[in-house]
Amino acid sequence: MADSLIRWKRGDYVKLSKAVASFNRKINALDSNEAKYLPSLQDYKELKNTIMSRKELNRIVKSLRRFNIEGVEAPVTLPSGSVLTKWEYHEVKLARNRAIRRLREEGRGIIEADYYEAPSEKMGSKRLRAISRTIDRYQGLELQSGSNLKSTIKSLIKEGRFDINLVKYDSFRTNFLNSLEEMSTYDNYEELRYKLEQIKNPEEFYNYVRQSPELMDLFLYYKDKATAQTYGGYASNQDAFNAGLERLGITLEI
């Protein structure tokens, strides 16, 4: 079942706005000498635009509110010598737990699907190695400093989101539709475009498109309508495009 996109209500705007304002007010009230390790001020509009699910909204609001607890602005020195506030270190550890749990679940799914019969060649094996490296990087956060630490924290905050799948599927949707524009001269383009634009949920969009291998490989052949780079043994890329549409149940206009 696809994750639901958030439908913003007036109370949601107010809740997030108040949490951001309170967070920023405390930051601004702290001693400027602490600025080198304090978290950055939050921008309400920028933060709101990143939120794709209600669960993520609630997580962010609770996180911001926790900064108002007395003493969480105190410094914590990591083994690397880097300094974070108690609040930021706590939030990063929560994000790390979520991100690693998700990565391990993905790894188990790859193994159970038996994607790696030939580990040196299969895509599943490559992904498993990438997952292992990422987990090692996240678990070694306390030993990192400077730009490496900042990069890992940024990655953890992103991957530890509750709506990370929606974020990734939304990126796929945007990139796919942009690439599809390059095929606007293909027969039956309008029929596909119309159908896709009716699917607002990014995960539902992805699951619909992935039923068609020809369309999932769109990026490999969309710029060539002739036969110089014909896809998958079809007589032409138009034929490949039509086959992809038929897999989706779209009636072709001949």
Side-chain angles (χ1 to χ4, degrees), residues 33-159:
N33 291 329
E34 300 169 323
K36 60 184 178 181
Y37 65 84
L38 289 177
S40 300
L41 294 171
Q42 296 290 327
D43 181 278
Y44 166 77
K45 289 184 179 179
E46 185 176 301
L47 188 58
K48 177 194 169 296
N49 289 338
T50 68
I51 297 172
M52 299 194 70
S53 74
R54 181 163 302 282
K55 194 173 183 180
E56 179 64 7
L57 168 65
N58 291 335
R59 182 196 71 78
I60 288 175
V61 169
K62 289 178 182 178
S63 174
L64 293 174
R65 286 174 175 171
R66 282 195 288 267
F67 191 64
N68 288 316
I69 297 173
E70 184 176 355
V72 297
E73 70 279 7
V76 172
T77 302
L78 304 181
S80 64
S82 299
V83 180
L84 304 175
T85 61
K86 285 184 179 179
W87 174 83
E88 185 173 13
Y89 187 39
H90 177 262
E91 301 305 313
V92 166
K93 287 191 291 184
L94 291 178
R96 177 167 60 184
N97 290 341
R98 292 190 296 269
I100 290 178
R101 182 166 58 248
R102 185 176 293 115
L103 287 168
R104 285 175 172 163
E105 288 174 358
E106 181 185 349
R108 285 194 294 270
I110 292 172
I111 293 172
E112 290 170 4
D114 198 24
Y115 284 167
Y116 71 121
E117 294 175 1
S120 64
E121 300 174 6
K122 295 290 184 178
M123 184 63 72
S125 177
K126 292 180 181 179
R127 180 56 186 156
L128 284 173
R129 289 195 294 272
I131 287 173
S132 179
R133 288 194 299 269
T134 301
I135 290 176
D136 287 345
R137 176 189 175 199
Y138 289 167
Q139 290 179 329
L141 175 140
E142 284 82 358
L143 300 177
Q144 299 169 25
S145 60
S147 60
N148 287 336
L149 177 63
K150 290 181 180 179
S151 175
T152 298
I153 289 177
K154 183 178 179 180
S155 177
L156 275 172
I157 296 302
K158 176 184 175 182
E159 295 298 326

